[in-house]
Amino acid sequence: KDAIAKLGGQIGGYLPDYAYLVHFDAASRVLAEDYAFVRWIGAYEPAYRVSADVDYNETRSYRVLTLPWADTASLAQTVASIDPLSRQYEGGFVAVLNGSQVAQAARQPGVLWIEPLYLQELHNDVGGGNIMNGSAAWSSGYTGSGVVIAVTDTGLDTGNAAAIHQDFAGRVAQISSWPVVYANYGNGCEISNPNANDGASDVDSGHGSHVTGSVAGSGAASGGQIKGLAYQATITFQAVEQWTTWAVPSTNRCPNGYYLTGIPDDVRTLLNQVYGWGARVQNNSWGGGQFGVYDSQASYFDDFVHSHPDMVVVVSAGNSGTDAENNGFVDVNSISSPGT
């Protein structure tokens, strides 16, 4: 990498196996080909930039990721000409594209990768027993005392730290609620109420309150019998479930209701907020997308953890693990992003 950089090559991401994306001018490319450690140099073709999950027969929201050396201003104009409602974030764009427009975007020199945007779903809907073995941690003095934890989920009880469930009372330092982010998930599932925000209360499934109880419930309501692992920790919470309406509501595909539509385009935005609140443990019991696929969302979690080594980020494996082969191991491709 040092040798390539000395030639003026700009080094981008790693490509399995044993390759990097590099931006050369013509002269530096010729020089790089003479290095003994270089096996092959080839163009980064448009076909390499498109996820195998792309369905060229539908129109839907995609993430369009950019290369480090991209002319983002020019690319923003191109993307906006395709989708005037597209939005930009650090490292990419979200835009609604049809099949031919995906192909057009892939031909732009500044584009790194194009992948479908998937609606996220709740995890941790099966639990019980003493799976977490909390007593072993507590007997060793690990109760969460002095630790700030964060949970990103549906909502937290009333959403009001001053009037909240006994198991959280007096320990909730921060609560935020994230508004609906526009997306078109295909098959007629296009969000029609972007920016709506119904607050941080857990009014639908109770999932966020349940998960926070597992993480840090004090057990006050049960006389200390039923409590979470970090039962003395300070709690921070981000509510990302919102009442969502669809342009063409369908009882089969996308009925109006509560969905995890408050998750931003770049999950590092969530992580940066709780890090700023002082949290050094953060939990995500949700995920979605194609099984076994390591997508940009998963990479954003890894990127944040890599740049914040003092932060523990926990992501659920999901509800989908199976052992169809009956060999005692969960089958491959049973986990979705960001668990991947």
Side-chain angles (χ1 to χ4, degrees), residues 70-112:
D71 182 347
T72 53
S74 175
L75 194 55
Q77 291 181 339
T78 300
V79 174
S81 69
I82 298 173
D83 175 16
L85 297 179
S86 63
R87 56 184 180 269
Q88 185 175 0
Y89 66 95
E90 183 181 0
F93 302 84
V94 172
V96 175
L97 309 172
N98 60 31
S100 63
Q101 291 166 338
V102 168
Q104 178 185 350
R107 291 193 294 269
Q108 303 304 311
V111 169
L112 167 65

Side-chain angles (χ1 to χ4, degrees), residues 217-284:
S218 69
S222 60
Q225 180 181 356
I226 304 169
K227 58 190 177 184
L229 254 72
Y231 64 88
Q232 292 184 333
T234 297
I235 298 168
T236 63
F237 193 93
Q238 295 168 314
V240 294
E241 182 180 77
Q242 299 288 347
W243 175 263
T244 305
T245 58
W246 305 92
V248 185
S250 166
T251 55
N252 295 325
R253 291 192 297 268
C254 44
N256 293 340
Y258 289 97
Y259 296 86
L260 299 180
T261 49
I263 298 173
D265 298 325
D266 187 340
V267 293
R268 289 171 295 192
T269 310
L270 293 169
L271 296 168
N272 279 313
Q273 182 182 62
V274 298
Y275 190 87
W277 287 345
R280 294 298 179 267
V281 180
Q282 190 259 2
N283 184 84
N284 308 275

Side-chain angles (χ1 to χ4, degrees), residues 3-5 7-11 20-33 35 38 40-42 69:
I4 294 296
L7 291 180
Q10 295 174 261
I11 300 175
Y20 283 90
L21 282 172
V22 179
H23 186 61
F24 286 117
D25 61 24
S28 58
R29 171 179 171 164
V30 170
L31 293 173
E33 289 173 340
Y35 281 131
V38 173
W40 176 84
I41 298 177
W69 45 82

